Amino acid sequence: MCLAIPGKVIEVVDESNRLALVDVAGVRRTVNIGLLDADGLSAGPGDWVLIHVGFALSLVDEAEAAATLKLLQGMGEDYERELEELKASVIE
């Protein structure tokens, strides 16, 4: 199962390649935020985004992010597996 997990943008680490450091439940990873630019949006520090396979797919507000995290945590093993895959991923 593949999940989109909410994460909070900590900082944009590479503006030209649209890479940002994002915190997902204590796991910090670099993700690509460039897909958000196509909709005329952009993500910056403090924003919440939904992440799937290293890409931010959409902006969400903090309440939606918290509700989604709570729902995902209730999924147990699938959520834990997704976090483990995120920990093992690297985007440079």
Side-chain angles (χ1 to χ4, degrees), residues 57-69:
L57 302 176
S58 64
L59 285 167
V60 293
D61 63 34
E62 188 171 1
E64 184 177 350
T68 301
L69 279 172

Side-chain angles (χ1 to χ4, degrees), residues 18 32-43 49-50 55-60:
R18 301 302 289 142
N32 188 298
I33 57 173
L35 291 176
L36 299 175
D37 298 343
D39 291 333
L41 305 171
S42 62
V49 293
L50 284 180
F55 290 88
L57 302 176
S58 64
L59 285 167
V60 293

